[in-house]
Amino acid sequence: MAQYIFRRVISLIPILIVVAVVDFIIIHLTPGDPAAVMLGSEATETDLANLREQLGLNLPIYIQFGKWILGVLQGDLGRSIFINMPVTQAIWQHLGPTISLTLLAEIIAVLFAIPLGVMAATHRGTWSDQSFMMIALLGISIPSFWLGLNFILLFAVKLNWLPAAGYQPLSNGLVNHLKYLILPAISLGIMQGALIARMTRSSMLEVLNENYILTAEAKGLSQRVVIYKHALKNAFIPILTVIGLTFATLIGGAVVTETVFNIPGIGKLIVNSVLRRDYVVIQGTVLMIAVAYVLINLFVDILYAYIDPRVRYDGKA
């Protein structure tokens, strides 16, 4: 297992290098002078020259990249002149709300999706299966921002059950924390839940036709044991893949939902940075999200090997 993890970690190094290069190049391919865009049309030549020197924009591009990548390796993503703090500190301050929102959305998605997917597979062709397929298709089709706006109108404005927007940290109490996160988490998690549920149904249908499932039923095992101990366990790897991908997608996809519900997370930080052309923060946050995406996939790969040991031996071969 240790060798498998070591090989997977080593294989991530070229991916991370490509991610860093692409992140740096995309920002620097932006048309125009970044200093002029950041300071606006009223900036003097002296102001522009000072900002170019401060950001290192007057240096050759390869030297800029070298200095940036050395800083990244030391945990220094640069300093924002707009919020007057290091980018790593700004990301850290906004990371908590995004992690809380993403985790809650993923928990809601998994808790509802897997049982519904299993139920649809075990009742294939019935009205409950058809109803599930229709609901799942609806969940995939509805944009999260539209759903969020309707949740605000119904549960916050009309019924006055939950707050319309804002965020309370966990230190202010779990109930208060969840009260502000439940609406954005549901609106964010419905689409991902629909994807997980459809994959669960599809994987279970393949496994339920296998001979060992028929053998387990012939031995007189209860339906619950056959489904959850034998069928779901063997169908779980493709489901785990979708769960990992949806979790990574939620981190990046929380941008719109955080803006709709005014949550001070990473998404809000990115939107504000784009609006004020804060290239240093945009570059740092995009790199952070890309690295998080890679690490989540690494974690999913390790779970593969834990659930099905054949994965690590296949990788060795």
Side-chain angles (χ1 to χ4, degrees):
M1 185 69 173
Q3 288 184 353
Y4 173 78
I5 296 174
F6 178 74
R7 288 200 305 272
R8 294 295 303 132
V9 171
I10 292 298
S11 69
L12 293 182
I13 292 176
I15 297 173
L16 292 174
I17 291 174
V18 171
V19 166
V21 171
V22 171
D23 182 30
F24 181 83
I25 290 177
I26 286 177
I27 297 299
H28 283 74
L29 284 179
T30 305
D33 182 0
V37 174
M38 293 168 74
L39 293 181
S41 58
E42 297 181 358
T44 63
E45 283 300 324
T46 305
D47 295 333
L48 294 174
N50 288 337
L51 183 57
R52 290 192 195 102
E53 185 174 356
Q54 182 182 344
L55 298 177
L57 297 174
N58 50 353
L59 298 172
I61 189 73
Y62 63 91
I63 295 180
Q64 292 183 44
F65 177 73
K67 292 181 69 174
W68 180 72
I69 203 68
L70 282 175
V72 169
L73 293 175
Q74 297 170 5
D76 179 13
L77 296 175
R79 185 179 183 85
S80 169
I81 62 170
F82 290 99
I83 52 180
N84 193 28
M85 68 170 62
V87 175
T88 48
Q89 184 180 345
I91 291 175
W92 184 253
Q93 286 183 356
H94 292 79
L95 192 59
T98 297
I99 293 293
S100 296
L101 175 61
T102 305
L103 279 176
L104 186 58
E106 189 69 18
I107 289 171
I108 290 171
V110 170
L111 284 181
F112 284 95
I114 292 182
L116 286 175
V118 170
M119 184 199 70
T122 54
H123 296 77
R124 183 181 186 182
T126 63
W127 68 267
S128 56
D129 181 29
Q130 298 299 324
S131 302
F132 158 78
M133 292 294 290
M134 189 181 66
I135 294 171
L137 185 62
L138 199 62
I140 293 174
S141 307
I142 298 176
S144 60
F145 74 89
W146 185 85
L147 203 59
L149 291 172
N150 281 278
F151 281 166
I152 291 174
L153 181 63
L154 178 61
F155 294 104
V157 178
K158 298 288 185 184
L159 300 175
N160 199 25
W161 287 354
L162 293 166
Y167 173 78
Q168 288 293 324
L170 190 58
S171 56
N172 289 351
L174 180 61
V175 174
N176 208 25
H177 182 64
L178 293 177
K179 191 168 68 175
Y180 279 85
L181 283 181
I182 192 68
L183 289 183
I186 292 175
S187 62
L188 192 59
I190 281 183
M191 180 183 290
Q192 313 307 328
L195 290 172
I196 296 170
R198 287 173 67 90
M199 178 55 72
T200 303
R201 178 184 180 274
S202 175
S203 300
M204 285 292 292
L205 285 177
E206 290 183 12
V207 172
L208 288 173
N209 292 324
E210 295 289 338
N211 289 332
Y212 66 88
I213 296 295
L214 300 176
T215 303
E217 290 175 341
K219 289 168 66 177
L221 296 178
S222 68
Q223 190 72 2
R224 186 182 184 85
V225 171
V226 172
I227 291 172
Y228 286 99
K229 185 177 180 181
H230 296 282
L232 183 57
K233 182 180 178 182
N234 288 284
F236 202 69
I237 283 191
I239 300 171
L240 185 63
T241 303
V242 177
I243 292 174
L245 290 175
T246 54
F247 187 69
T249 304
L250 282 175
I251 293 178
V255 173
V256 177
T257 304
E258 287 180 1
T259 304
V260 170
F261 287 92
N262 195 28
I263 297 173
I266 294 295
K268 193 77 183 297
L269 176 65
I270 292 175
V271 171
N272 290 337
S273 301
V274 170
L275 292 175
R276 61 188 174 225
R277 310 291 197 272
D278 196 343
Y279 292 105
V280 182
V281 176
I282 298 170
Q283 191 170 257
T285 48
V286 168
L287 180 65
M288 188 275 296
I289 291 174
V291 170
Y293 205 98
V294 171
L295 293 179
I296 289 170
N297 279 282
L298 171 65
F299 181 67
V300 170
D301 285 347
I302 294 173
L303 284 179
Y304 284 168
Y306 177 75
I307 294 172
D308 187 353
R310 292 174 299 178
V311 172
R312 68 184 91 149
Y313 297 126
D314 289 345
K316 190 176 181 179

